[in-house]
Amino acid sequence: MPTPSLPTLYFDQEGSSEKQDALKPLPSEIVNNVSSFLDWGDLARLACVQSSWKNVVADAAEFGGREATWELTTCLLGGEKLQEEETTDSVLYLAHSVDARGLQTNEPLAVKYLTQMAGVPVDESQLPKIAASREIEHECNSILPNDWKSSVDSTNVDGADEEALLLLARCQLDGTGLDSPNPELALYYLQAAYHMTKSVKAAHTLALIYEYPQQSNNLVPIDVYAAFEWFKAAAEGGCVPSMAELALCYELGCGVTQSDENALDWYMKAAAAGCSSAHFSVGEHYEEGRSVRLDHEEACIWYHRAAVMGEEDGVRGLRRLEEVARRVLPNVGDILNV
């Protein structure tokens, strides 16, 4: 695991007499070598020793650049806690397992670092307005993929940081490190991540927020039209979960005109990309003859693939067509007899 780093002569700089006096009994080579093994918690404790070291944590983050600042930020948010909160139905989670590295949680400071890392200035006049009513119509104020309005040039992506924007949006929705949640700012950061970093994670997350109230802690009203548009944007960008969700939108006519043909097309794309539930859905289309010829043998093949991948619905589909399945799939008994 990498440790924070400081300039080689950090504790031996001219003009820092207090630093030098505190470490005077030790050769500078030993001091610099020992400092290279200090973790964030060690630096935090060192910052309390004397005033000249009070900024040592911030200095290490600045010297280490983006990677060090991100590492410090996740530790300040409580790395172990964040890791426990990972879910498969949301993309707002840390990509790697982390721990607090000896630091006490300091959420407001973490949000400050995230805001700096995000690289997206906020124009209050550009924040999306969230309707108070849950009686959502198509002409509501929900943001859509083509609604980007910002004083920031969306083609200038050098300063924008996708991971920081995603995690910052989660903090805004949860109120982490803030006086209260700010769903408008959360939506703005996600929209910025999509337009400025081409983040399909941001598009998928926006779709989930508009489709499932719990994704925003019930702060953003359901809007199936906006959900469809964002699922479509994410799916076209290669996000596999969004492919399956988009297919479901077409299948149910949720936010779009119902179309079994389009549903099957996206289910097959999701299945080809490894989505287990999509295999079952393709099987259903063949079993029921929706947009394809009715074919129970083909349905069994798709159900079997889903079952092998762990989908209980696939097992139920095979049992429903057990006679055909046993004829078409020689080893299907291993699944059906469980």
Side-chain angles (χ1 to χ4, degrees):
M1 180 178 293
T3 56
S5 58
L6 290 162
T8 303
L9 300 178
Y10 182 83
F11 293 104
D12 192 30
Q13 299 174 24
E14 292 185 8
S16 302
S17 59
E18 190 177 354
K19 290 180 182 178
Q20 294 172 348
D21 291 343
L23 300 172
K24 194 171 183 179
L26 298 174
S28 59
E29 293 83 356
I30 293 179
V31 172
N32 292 322
N33 186 54
V34 170
S35 68
S36 67
F37 291 95
L38 298 179
D39 211 337
W40 292 110
D42 302 318
L43 293 181
R45 286 186 286 275
L46 196 59
C48 300
V49 173
Q50 61 183 38
S51 60
S52 64
W53 295 341
K54 65 181 180 180
N55 295 322
V56 65
V57 174
D59 290 343
E62 182 177 1
F63 180 73
R66 190 269 174 198
E67 183 178 353
T69 304
W70 173 256
E71 184 181 82
L72 173 59
T73 300
T74 56
C75 291
L76 290 170
L77 285 172
E80 292 178 353
K81 177 182 177 183
L82 283 169
Q83 180 64 17
E84 291 171 0
E85 292 178 351
E86 287 193 10
T87 59
T88 57
D89 60 348
S90 173
V91 294
L92 293 181
Y93 57 82
L94 295 181
H96 306 288
S97 177
V98 296
D99 58 49
R101 307 279 289 280
L103 282 178
Q104 291 185 345
T105 299
N106 189 332
E107 294 174 346
L109 182 57
V111 170
K112 178 181 178 181
Y113 277 118
L114 281 174
T115 303
Q116 293 172 353
M117 290 179 63
V120 178
V122 177
D123 182 348
E124 295 288 339
S125 66
Q126 303 296 342
L127 295 185
K129 304 302 180 183
I130 296 179
S133 171
R134 292 193 176 276
E135 298 296 326
I136 298 297
E137 300 293 340
H138 183 55
E139 295 79 8
C140 69
N141 291 323
S142 300
I143 58 172
L144 301 175
N146 294 326
D147 290 343
W148 179 240
K149 296 179 181 179
S150 173
S151 57
V152 183
D153 184 355
S154 62
T155 62
N156 181 16
V157 300
D158 292 341
D161 188 295
E162 178 188 11
E163 285 187 303
L165 286 165
L166 292 173
L167 189 52
L168 189 56
R170 182 75 267 166
C171 290
Q172 295 293 337
L173 286 174
D174 293 341
T176 301
L178 309 167
D179 293 333
S180 61
N182 188 335
E184 289 88 355
L185 192 51
L187 295 178
Y188 180 80
Y189 283 136
L190 289 170
Q191 190 184 19
Y194 172 70
H195 285 282
M196 299 185 71
T197 73
K198 310 304 180 186
S199 173
V200 294
K201 289 183 178 180
H204 181 67
T205 301
L206 281 161
L208 291 175
I209 286 173
Y210 283 120
E211 183 78 11
Y212 305 107
Q214 65 270 26
Q215 290 291 330
S216 68
N217 300 316
N218 295 303
L219 296 174
V220 179
I222 294 173
D223 183 350
V224 295
Y225 299 102
F228 167 78
E229 292 294 339
W230 284 109
F231 279 136
K232 187 171 185 288
E236 291 175 344
C239 178
V240 179
S242 276
M243 293 178 188
E245 291 279 1
L246 181 63
L248 184 61
C249 289
Y250 277 118
E251 181 180 358
L252 301 178
C254 190
V256 66
T257 302
Q258 198 279 338
S259 172
D260 285 329
E261 183 178 354
N262 287 333
L264 180 60
D265 180 48
W266 279 104
Y267 277 134
M268 295 192 76
K269 289 177 180 177
C275 178
S276 58
S277 63
H279 285 83
F280 167 75
S281 297
V282 174
E284 274 194 320
H285 277 68
Y286 278 104
E287 181 183 0
E288 299 171 9
R290 286 188 277 145
S291 77
V292 291
R293 60 182 173 78
L294 189 148
D295 189 336
H296 286 180
E297 292 184 357
E298 187 70 17
C300 286
I301 293 173
W302 286 95
Y303 286 152
H304 183 258
R305 291 172 182 168
V308 168
M309 297 174 75
E311 286 292 326
E312 285 298 320
D313 283 339
V315 177
R316 284 189 282 270
L318 289 172
R319 287 178 177 156
R320 193 164 56 243
L321 301 175
E322 183 170 354
E323 182 179 341
V324 177
R326 289 187 181 278
R327 186 178 71 249
V328 176
L329 304 165
N331 299 321
V332 74
D334 296 339
I335 294 175
L336 294 176
N337 296 331
V338 174

